[in-house]
Structures are given as structure tokens and as C-alpha cells.
Amino acid sequence: MGSNPSRFHLVVSKVEANNPDIEELNFENQDLGDKRVRVLSEALRQNNTLQSLDLSACNFTATGARYLSDAICNVIITSNIRRLNLSDNPKIGPEGGQYLANALQNNKILEYLKVNGCGLGDEGFSPIADSLASNRSLTVLEVGSNEITDEGALQLSEALKLNTSLEGISLWQNLISGHGAQHLAEGLSVNKSVIWMGLGNNTVGAEGAWAFAEGIQGNTSLQWLGMGGNAIGDRGAMHLTNLLTGDACSVQSIGLGGNDISDDGASHLAQALTSNTKLRSLGLGGNRIGDDGAQRLADMLTANNTLQKLLLSSNVIGDTGVVHLATALESNTGLETLLLADNPFGDEGGTTLMQTLCSHNKTLQTLDVHRTQMSRSGEKQFVKALQKDSALTKLGSGYDKNSPLMLIKGTENRQAREEQERRTEAAAAVKDYRSRSIPGMDDGFEVH
């Protein structure tokens, strides 16, 4: 959009004139401040054609949030804004959260609200959560990085028991512990509308994993649960087997990246998935899974043809583990994505995997092997053979980056990779939701 004042006022004049050609506006990273947000809000009072507004990182405060809230609640000309992004405006704060809650109580149109990194805290988030009890239009709420604690989780839980429209909620990188997870699980045990919940980078621990495993077994709507970076460990993984054994619930994707899960935890999960026919995606990147855990997962793949994505990047899987996985893929007909980047396997594992994918398996479509210990010549042979004879459509490798198949980019930093594992799981859920429910909102994401 640019920061040129004259251009800003030209756009605002078109909004005020209710120009039907303007359905989306993006002011991201523009230093609008409260003054310009007020000017824009006054124009919005005269507009019912704008459907999407992005004001992320625009440097306004609770005052600006009040102007916007008043505008989208205008009763003379009803706002038609369905998607509103206010993320990365930390000065909105608790007071601004009160204004946004008022908007949610009165606006009947807004479907998608992003307020990540807005300094809400429990004081600002709790009224927003309370408003969801009566709101019937909002389908997605993102409130990551707002220092929300168990108190806010409790308020949200109570609202979820009454809400019938919310389909997705992101609580990424807050301060929710196992106690807060218990509250959320209790709310989800009653709620029938939420399809996905992202809890990545909180502190729910094994206690929180147990709470979800026990609390949502009867839930028939939740399909994706993101719990990456929550230090659930092997004990938490074991608790989750109660959720995943057989078809105890409807969850189709679970993200457990960066959770300090070792071979023991992987073994518990693998045993549970042997009889599961609903889970489609399992994210285990950035853990401590080695050859034994990989063998147990491979054994699972010989019996399970439902799982489509297995994310194992940034673990400690060597040649033995990769050979087991490759052997399992000879008979498996369900897995479509396998991420093995940043694992210490070499040419032996790579060769076995290459032979399987070239001669036996024609189901796998996406494979990432960035930053392994394959030799330069071994990886060259690996890539060339897969380009020629496999069914892969996406291949991540440090060799021949200009190839049409090289659609997955690597990173040199392990910590960054582990962070990517957690973010990937959340992005995948949002991407899937948007592509199915909100035309034009498929932003794309990297698969590693």
C-alpha cells in the first residue's frame, strides 16, 4: 500500500465512496498510528463493500482499536468486513481487548480475526473470550503471543461450551500450563464446532497431554491439534496413546514437534497408531527419536495405510532407522510425505531408501533429506535416481537445488529447523482450513 500520505488519503476516499472495486486492503507494516486509523475508521462507516482489512504492525494503540471497533459495529451502514488482521500492534493492550470484545458482541459479519502479538494479556483476552459465548459469526480467532495464562484459558473454555460457530483457534506462544490445558480440554469436550486448535510453544507438559487425551475422546469435531514445543516428553506421548489407540476420537492431524520425545515416546505412539484409521498426519520433528523409535514407526507403517504425512526432521535417526523406514515403504500404500531432514543417516540409509522409492513405492510424493550425512557422491546418485525413476513431486536436498523437483528449501540452523517444524504444523492446518473454507486465503507454506 505504501506509506505516502497522499496515496493513503486517495485509498481512504475510495473506501468512503463505497467503491465496489475495493474488496481488500493491506496496510501491513505501515506506520499509520491512531490518527490515520481514525481517518480510515470514519471512512469505513460509509462502506459496505470492503471484505478484508490488514492493519498488522501499523503502530496504533487501544485508541485506534476503539475507532475500528466502533466502525465495524456501525448500525447505519452495516460493515461487510469478514477478515480483520490487527496482529503485531502490541500497544493495543488490555484496554484495546475490551473494545474488540465489544465489537465481537455486536458485529454479526466478522469471520476471521487475527490479534497475535497485541499485548492483550488475560485482562484483554478474557473479555474477547467471553464475547464468544454469544458470537455466532466468527469462525477463526488467532491470539498467539499475548501472554495469555491459565486464567484466560479458563475463560475461553467456558465460552467454548456455548459457542457454535468457532472452527479454529490459535493460542501459539502464550503462557498456558497443564492446568490451562485441562480447562481447554473440558471446553472441547462439550464444544461441537472447533475443528482445529493450535497450542504450540506453551508449557502444557505431560499433564496437559494427559488432559487432552482424557478430555476430548468423545469429541467428534476436532480434526487437528497442534502441541509442538510444550515439553510433553515421553510421558506425555504415552498419555496421548489413550487418544490415538483405535479411533477414540476424530483427530486427523497432531503436531508434536520439539517436545523432547525419544525412542520410548515414539514407540508408544507407533503402537497406538497400528490400530488407528483416522490420523492422517503425525508431526514429530525436532525431537530425540533415534533408530529404535524409527523402527517402531516403520513397524507401524506396515500395518497402517491411513497415515499420509510423517514429519521426522531434526531427530537422531541413523542408517539403521532409515533402512527400517525404507523397508516399510515397500508395502505401505498410504504415506505421501516423509520429512527426514537434519538426521545423521548416510549413504547406506540413503541407498536403501532410493531403491525402495525407485522400484517399489509409488505413493510417496514429498521427501526432504536436507543436511543428512550422505556423501556428496551418494546424495548425487540419490537425487538423480529419484528424479528419473520415483513418483516424487517434491524433493528436498542440498544437491542440484535448481532442479524442478527441488521445491523444498533447507536451512543451516538446527534451532531454526526445530522452530520450523512447529510452525509448519500450524501452517498446514491453517492452509487446509483456508483452502476449504475461505476462497483466496490459501497462502501456501513450506513443507519442511
Side-chain angles (χ1 to χ4, degrees):
M1 182 59 62
S3 57
N4 189 306
S6 60
R7 188 176 182 187
F8 170 79
H9 287 289
L10 175 62
V11 172
V12 168
S13 66
K14 291 181 179 180
V15 172
E16 189 171 16
N18 214 11
N19 188 320
D21 294 332
I22 300 182
E23 295 183 355
E24 299 183 7
L25 279 180
N26 187 347
F27 289 99
E28 182 182 8
N29 289 320
Q30 305 306 314
D31 188 11
L32 300 185
D34 291 333
K35 185 176 180 179
R36 286 190 185 179
V37 169
R38 181 176 186 176
V39 172
L40 176 60
S41 299
E42 290 299 322
L44 290 174
R45 288 177 173 272
Q46 308 300 318
N47 183 284
N48 63 2
T49 59
L50 188 67
Q51 297 183 33
S52 177
L53 177 60
D54 189 338
L55 292 173
S56 56
C58 284
N59 193 30
F60 61 91
T61 72
T63 301
R66 187 187 73 207
Y67 296 143
L68 287 168
S69 299
D70 290 345
I72 65 175
C73 292
N74 186 23
V75 297
I76 299 176
I77 298 179
T78 302
S79 169
N80 197 35
I81 295 177
R82 300 177 185 276
R83 299 185 295 272
L84 180 61
N85 185 358
L86 306 180
S87 294
D88 301 318
N89 286 291
K91 296 177 184 178
I92 286 178
E95 182 183 354
Q98 297 276 354
Y99 296 130
L100 295 174
N102 180 67
L104 289 175
Q105 288 175 342
N106 293 281
N107 180 284
K108 310 300 180 184
I109 301 294
L110 191 65
E111 298 174 359
Y112 199 111
L113 177 62
K114 296 177 68 172
V115 283
N116 301 299
C118 286
L120 299 177
D122 288 330
E123 185 180 351
F125 174 66
S126 292
I128 291 176
D130 290 343
S131 71
L132 297 177
S134 58
N135 181 284
R136 293 295 178 267
S137 66
L138 199 70
T139 57
V140 175
L141 175 63
E142 296 188 22
V143 286
S145 300
N146 274 295
E147 298 188 349
I148 297 166
T149 72
D150 296 341
E151 179 183 345
L154 174 61
Q155 297 301 117
L156 177 59
S157 173
E158 294 303 312
L160 289 178
K161 295 175 183 178
L162 299 173
N163 183 281
T164 58
S165 65
L166 196 66
E167 297 182 7
I169 181 164
S170 172
L171 292 161
W172 171 272
Q173 203 167 12
N174 279 292
L175 303 174
I176 299 170
S177 73
H179 193 53
Q182 291 181 15
H183 294 317
L184 294 172
E186 181 181 346
L188 289 173
S189 70
V190 177
N191 181 276
K192 304 299 182 184
S193 66
V194 173
I195 297 173
W196 63 269
M197 176 175 283
L199 272 172
N201 274 23
N202 280 278
T203 58
V204 305
E207 179 187 0
W210 177 86
F212 273 93
E214 296 298 314
I216 66 173
Q217 288 196 26
N219 183 294
T220 58
S221 61
L222 190 69
Q223 297 178 18
W224 181 88
L225 178 62
M227 297 183 69
N230 270 285
I232 71 169
D234 291 334
R235 189 160 65 93
M238 181 179 66
H239 290 323
L240 289 174
T241 60
N242 296 329
L243 183 67
L244 299 175
T245 300
D247 293 326
C249 73
S250 59
V251 172
Q252 295 181 19
S253 178
I254 187 164
L256 300 174
N259 266 305
D260 200 32
I261 296 171
S262 72
D263 290 336
D264 287 343
S267 297
H268 289 305
L269 293 169
Q271 183 177 0
L273 291 179
T274 300
S275 60
N276 183 292
T277 62
K278 292 190 176 179
L279 197 74
R280 300 291 187 269
S281 178
L282 175 62
L284 288 171
N287 282 292
R288 297 187 293 110
I289 299 168
D291 291 339
D292 289 344
Q295 181 177 358
R296 297 295 178 265
L297 291 169
D299 292 342
M300 176 270 295
L301 289 175
T302 62
N304 182 316
N305 284 302
T306 304
L307 193 70
Q308 297 174 352
K309 295 181 180 181
L310 180 58
L311 283 62
L312 291 171
S313 295
S314 303
N315 278 283
V316 287
I317 301 171
D319 285 317
T320 301
V322 172
V323 168
H324 285 302
L325 290 169
T327 302
L329 291 178
E330 291 182 5
S331 59
N332 180 280
T333 58
L335 200 68
E336 298 176 356
T337 297
L338 177 61
L339 307 188
L340 291 171
D342 202 12
N343 277 285
F345 65 90
D347 291 345
E348 179 186 353
T351 298
T352 306
L353 183 58
M354 173 191 71
Q355 292 171 345
T356 295
L357 295 179
C358 289
S359 302
H360 302 286
N361 182 291
K362 298 301 178 182
T363 307
L364 198 72
Q365 299 175 17
T366 299
L367 174 67
D368 189 3
V369 292
H370 275 102
R371 289 184 58 78
T372 66
Q373 293 184 8
M374 282 190 283
S375 66
R376 177 71 176 171
S377 59
E379 190 164 358
K380 176 181 178 180
Q381 180 185 10
F382 180 88
V383 169
K384 293 295 185 182
L386 292 177
Q387 288 175 331
K388 180 176 182 291
D389 296 322
S390 77
L392 293 176
T393 58
K394 294 181 180 179
L395 173 60
S397 169
Y399 177 80
D400 197 8
K401 296 179 181 179
N402 295 322
S403 165
L405 278 181
M406 298 300 147
L407 300 180
I408 308 173
K409 298 180 180 179
T411 176
E412 298 299 313
N413 185 284
R414 181 182 178 91
Q415 183 177 359
R417 289 199 67 88
E418 294 177 358
E419 179 76 2
Q420 275 183 327
E421 290 300 327
R422 296 190 285 269
R423 286 191 174 276
T424 291
E425 293 158 7
V430 175
K431 176 179 183 289
D432 179 64
Y433 175 84
R434 288 172 172 173
S435 63
R436 289 185 291 109
S437 307
I438 308 178
M441 290 293 287
D442 184 358
D443 294 336
F445 65 100
E446 293 184 339
V447 296
H448 60 291

